[in-house]
Amino acid sequence: MKSNNSIPIHRQKKRSSRNWLTLCLALLCVLAVGLGTLSVYAVLTLHEQRHVSEVQAQQITDLEKQLQDVQSDLSLAQDALTQKQTELEQKQAALEAEQAAASSSLAEKDKTIQEQEKTISELKEQIAKKGTGTTASKTTKKTTANTVNSSTKEWNKYEKQKIVALTFDDGPGPYTERLLDGLKERGVRATFFVLGSRVNDYPDLLRRMDKEGHEIGNHSQNHKQLTKLSAAGIKSEMSACATRVKKIVGHEPTVMRCPYGSYNKKVCNYAKGKGIPIVHWDVDTLDWKNKNADTILKLAFSKDGISDGSIVLMHDIHSPTVDATFRMVDKLKKQGYVFVTTSELLHARHSKVEAGKVYYEG
Ligand code: NI
């Protein structure tokens, strides 16, 4: 049987397959659009990330460059510093060696001179004993002219005592008053080798030194190395100090000491002309270098330290030196030492004290 309303079967099949096709196409379209969007998003994201990482890489490279620059600058600066340090160390070593050589050669020369002088005076004595009248009188005259006022004071009273002369250079300074107080308390007299450039700042202290029996020595006006000056230069440097001292205390310094212990014939001639001896030292406490009371005392009481007739070098411009001095004095007193000025020490231990001669001890 056949119905009129019914659609032929092959048509029905055709419609259904068309529907499927449409559906499939629609799905494909959706899929394609989705995939497209996804890939566009992915491409954009990737591009963005690449851009960011490129920028970061650039920044890192820049920073690394900067770091390298800073590092190379630093290493250059470090190299320069090391070089400078080495140069300075070398210079210091050279200077120290020079100073040591100079002082040892000076000491040796001085010893030789002293020995020669001894021999000469012995020979003179022998000649005098033999009774060669004219020579003897000439010798006596010469001796009198070069001898520092040894007859005016009783130097012999220290003959049988252990004596020591404490000396203070480069002052007066802010600690000198405390030093003077402590010395007065202990009944001790010392010698102050003052600088002319400083005395006008402490006129009262200078007068006090003089009044309390300390000796005032000339240590030059500006602490220049005298061996580098002409005879006129030496005179001007030393006289400037002497004049200032005289203006304050009423008399010139009675002894002198060369800055750095450095002297030559011209310096000796100046002292000779002034009628004063040059007083250096045999015990160096190195107080200016260490600025430590314990070290000062250690050196003062070492094997090569203070003995009878010693002249001790210190500087009253350092506070630890003042502390060390008091401890030193107390200890030396217990050992029976008597404290004298440099002039007293020289006259007590030398039969004659010669102007212009360098003395290192009594
Ligand atoms: Ni000095």
Side-chain angles (χ1 to χ4, degrees):
M1 292 278 291
K2 212 175 182 182
S3 151
N4 289 336
N5 294 338
S6 64
I7 302 162
I9 289 170
H10 71 273
R11 273 198 185 173
Q12 274 182 14
K13 271 184 182 174
K14 215 174 186 178
R15 195 179 286 172
S16 140
S17 69
R18 206 178 288 157
N19 282 346
W20 273 110
L21 204 67
T22 314
L23 196 64
C24 282
L25 274 172
L27 274 170
L28 272 172
C29 275
V30 167
L31 208 66
V33 167
L35 275 171
T37 313
L38 261 173
S39 32
V40 165
Y41 178 73
V43 165
L44 280 174
T45 312
L46 268 174
H47 183 74
E48 182 65 22
Q49 273 178 353
R50 196 177 296 163
H51 180 69
V52 167
S53 57
E54 265 172 18
V55 168
Q56 281 175 343
Q58 186 62 40
Q59 281 175 343
I60 288 167
T61 318
D62 287 350
L63 279 171
E64 276 173 348
K65 256 188 185 173
Q66 282 176 2
L67 197 70
Q68 274 176 357
D69 286 351
V70 169
Q71 273 175 340
S72 80
D73 282 354
L74 263 174
S75 78
L76 275 176
Q78 206 173 0
D79 283 353
L81 260 175
T82 317
Q83 206 179 336
K84 272 199 177 161
Q85 204 176 355
T86 318
E87 278 173 19
L88 273 173
E89 278 170 359
Q90 280 172 349
K91 271 187 189 168
Q92 200 181 355
L95 271 173
E96 276 173 2
E98 230 177 75
Q99 206 177 357
S103 63
S104 74
S105 86
L106 274 177
E108 269 175 30
K109 275 182 189 167
D110 204 61
K111 262 190 183 168
T112 321
I113 291 169
Q114 278 183 355
E115 276 168 14
Q116 283 173 349
E117 277 171 353
K118 234 186 188 178
T119 322
I120 290 168
S121 71
E122 277 170 11
L123 281 170
K124 278 177 184 172
E125 270 177 25
Q126 281 174 10
I127 292 164
K129 272 181 191 169
K130 279 177 185 171
T132 46
T134 38
T135 326
S137 74
K138 267 186 189 170
T139 314
T140 320
K141 263 186 191 170
K142 245 190 181 175
T143 311
T144 319
N146 289 345
T147 306
V148 179
N149 56 336
S150 55
S151 58
T152 50
K153 290 183 186 173
E154 293 171 14
W155 310 110
N156 291 343
K157 64 180 173 184
Y158 299 113
E159 219 169 56
K160 285 175 186 170
Q161 283 175 307
K162 276 204 287 188
I163 52 174
V164 60
L166 302 182
T167 68
F168 300 93
D169 288 14
D170 300 352
Y175 313 111
T176 310
E177 188 171 14
R178 186 159 74 89
L179 177 62
L180 285 172
D181 289 343
L183 291 177
K184 191 181 180 186
E185 211 175 280
R186 292 166 174 80
V188 168
R189 288 174 305 115
T191 305
F192 291 86
F193 288 95
V194 298
L195 287 178
S197 57
R198 284 177 165 267
V199 295
N200 282 358
D201 292 334
Y202 302 92
D204 291 338
L205 288 186
L206 212 70
R207 275 189 284 269
R208 184 178 162 190
M209 283 172 193
D210 194 52
K211 201 180 149 195
E212 292 178 357
H214 302 288
E215 185 167 30
I216 297 172
N218 188 342
H219 196 41
S220 84
Q221 178 69 11
N222 299 302
H223 209 270
K224 283 184 187 164
Q225 194 171 333
L226 300 177
T227 47
K228 287 183 177 169
L229 303 178
S230 64
I234 293 166
K235 193 180 172 190
S236 124
E237 185 62 17
M238 297 307 294
S239 299
C241 175
T243 310
R244 286 196 180 185
V245 169
K246 190 179 177 181
K247 221 174 179 181
I248 296 168
V249 300
H251 64 81
E252 288 198 358
T254 38
V255 282
M256 70 168 268
R257 174 174 283 169
C258 307
Y260 314 105
S262 155
Y263 67 93
N264 56 19
K265 209 176 171 189
K266 280 183 271 186
V267 177
C268 294
N269 282 341
Y270 168 80
K272 202 171 173 181
K274 292 298 278 185
I276 57 174
I278 298 171
V279 183
H280 285 175
W281 58 90
D282 66 323
V283 178
D284 189 350
T285 60
L286 296 178
D287 61 330
W288 58 273
K289 196 175 174 185
N290 298 314
K291 296 191 185 80
N292 178 291
D294 291 332
T295 318
I296 294 168
L297 287 165
K298 210 174 162 189
L299 284 168
F301 292 102
S302 68
K303 199 182 151 204
D304 299 321
I306 298 168
S307 60
D308 179 32
S310 277
I311 301 170
V312 188
L313 170 64
M314 289 184 277
H315 300 78
D316 50 323
I317 51 169
H318 305 299
S319 186
T321 300
V322 178
D323 303 322
T325 301
F326 299 155
R327 285 165 62 187
M328 195 186 294
V329 165
D330 295 342
K331 195 167 173 180
L332 286 169
K333 272 191 165 181
K334 278 183 194 158
Q335 295 178 359
Y337 275 92
V338 173
F339 299 86
V340 293
T341 64
T342 54
S343 278
E344 287 170 339
L345 183 116
L346 295 185
H347 284 289
R349 290 290 183 265
H350 298 269
S351 56
K352 61 182 180 192
V353 180
E354 287 174 45
K357 187 174 166 178
V358 183
Y359 292 89
Y360 292 93
E361 58 197 331

